Amino acid sequence: MTDLDIAEVARRAGVPASTLRFYEEKGLIASTGRRGLRRQYDPGVLERLALIALGRTAGFSLDEIARMFAPDGRPRIDRRMLSAKADELDRRIRELGVLRDSLRHAAACPAPSHLECPTFRRLLDEATARGRRVPGRQRVPGR
């Protein structure tokens, strides 16, 4: 298969060309050259972009994803890092479950004001006591 130009890669991968240029700048992908002013890529870049997208969806930073590739470009995924991310996702899922249940309660609560609802007050007190943000409001690195 022949090389693909940046527009074709962007279309197939579902990302803007600016993202491809950024990934190239970060060392996540590499072009094979240019045809005129347009960057060219080996078709294998599509698989690499799919791995990057999967990593981003799982919550890995671009720097973490970059470390998942050997110098020759082949995947070199640290299984301990995957396990740690799975544990982190488990914690996040539990937090989101509590948040979901709290929202459902608040939506159906018969109290005249949410601040008069004992369940809602308990949630506020717990969030304050922990000194952390309400679950679901975490900044995602790299975004």
Side-chain angles (χ1 to χ4, degrees), residues 1 4 9 18 22 30 35 65 79 85 87 113 117-118 121-122 130-131 133:
M1 185 178 232
L4 305 170
V9 173
S18 60
F22 179 71
R35 181 173 297 147
I65 292 168
R79 293 174 191 270
K85 183 58 76 174
D87 291 344
S113 162
C117 171
R121 293 297 313 184
R122 187 174 62 249
R130 288 186 194 134
R133 290 183 269 184

Side-chain angles (χ1 to χ4, degrees), residues 13-143:
V15 297
S18 60
T19 297
L20 298 175
R21 289 188 291 272
F22 179 71
Y23 285 174
E24 193 169 343
E25 182 181 305
K26 296 282 282 178
L28 292 166
I29 62 173
S31 64
T32 58
R34 293 181 181 266
R35 181 173 297 147
L37 296 176
R38 300 189 124 204
R39 287 178 167 99
Q40 300 291 300
Y41 296 92
D42 179 273
V45 76
L46 296 171
E47 183 175 83
R48 190 173 180 110
L49 289 166
L51 287 168
I52 293 168
L54 182 61
R56 296 293 290 145
T57 300
F60 289 104
S61 71
L62 290 178
D63 290 336
E64 289 171 321
I65 292 168
R67 291 191 302 268
M68 292 183 191
F69 292 101
D72 67 0
R74 292 179 187 242
R76 176 186 61 193
I77 300 170
D78 180 340
R79 293 174 191 270
R80 286 178 300 199
M81 194 163 80
L82 294 179
S83 183
K85 183 58 76 174
D87 291 344
E88 182 183 319
L89 288 172
D90 282 340
R91 285 188 297 277
R92 185 80 178 119
I93 288 166
R94 283 190 300 274
E95 288 177 348
L96 288 171
V98 169
L99 180 58
R100 178 204 57 223
D101 294 345
S102 300
L103 291 172
R104 290 196 193 286
H105 172 80
C109 181
S113 162
H114 289 103
L115 295 179
E116 296 175 46
C117 171
T119 302
F120 191 79
R121 293 297 313 184
R122 187 174 62 249
L123 291 168
L124 289 177
D125 292 344
E126 288 173 7
T128 302
R130 288 186 194 134
R132 54 178 248 205
R133 290 183 269 184
V134 175
R137 298 291 303 171
Q138 296 178 352
R139 185 183 179 292
V140 177
R143 282 192 185 176

